[in-house]
Amino acid sequence: GQAFVDFSGCCALTCSRQGCACAFCAYCLKDCGADAHAHVTSQHGELFLRVELFEKQHKTRKRILIQTYLEDELDLKLKIVDACERELR
């Protein structure tokens, strides 16, 4: 995985690593091979997304992933959520 910080609205993204032409979906991060446009429109409807909505969606996605991972670790979960509270809102 590689972080990306330059989202500009189009949800059909391409990896920026030199020599990598992987296309992926900004909504769900699915690897779409060489072109993500068909996946984005068929699975998510809209090809473009405002940056604020993109950020909100990914904060929600991260929160769900963390909660799922820590389901059985209540004490650890509470400590982590408390420490990350500002980032997860």
Side-chain angles (χ1 to χ4, degrees):
Q2 178 178 333
F4 55 96
V5 294
D6 58 351
F7 180 75
S8 62
C10 181
C11 292
L13 304 174
T14 305
C15 181
S16 62
R17 275 190 255 175
Q18 187 174 3
C20 182
C22 176
F24 60 100
C25 174
Y27 285 99
C28 65
L29 306 181
K30 177 181 171 65
D31 180 345
C32 298
D35 186 3
H37 290 86
H39 166 82
V40 171
T41 55
S42 70
Q43 297 300 308
H44 306 288
E46 296 293 324
L47 186 57
F48 290 91
L49 185 65
R50 289 192 338 256
V51 173
E52 309 84 56
L53 293 176
F54 169 81
E55 291 171 351
K56 181 179 178 182
Q57 177 169 332
H58 280 278
K59 283 183 181 183
T60 299
R61 180 182 165 276
K62 290 174 196 176
R63 185 181 308 111
I64 291 169
L65 287 172
I66 291 168
Q67 288 172 337
T68 301
Y69 180 76
L70 297 172
E71 259 177 5
D72 297 327
E73 303 291 336
L74 183 58
D75 289 338
L76 180 58
K77 176 182 176 179
L78 293 174
K79 289 178 184 176
I80 291 173
V81 170
D82 185 55
C84 298
E85 185 175 2
R86 185 185 310 161
E87 295 296 322
L88 298 175
R89 286 188 177 183

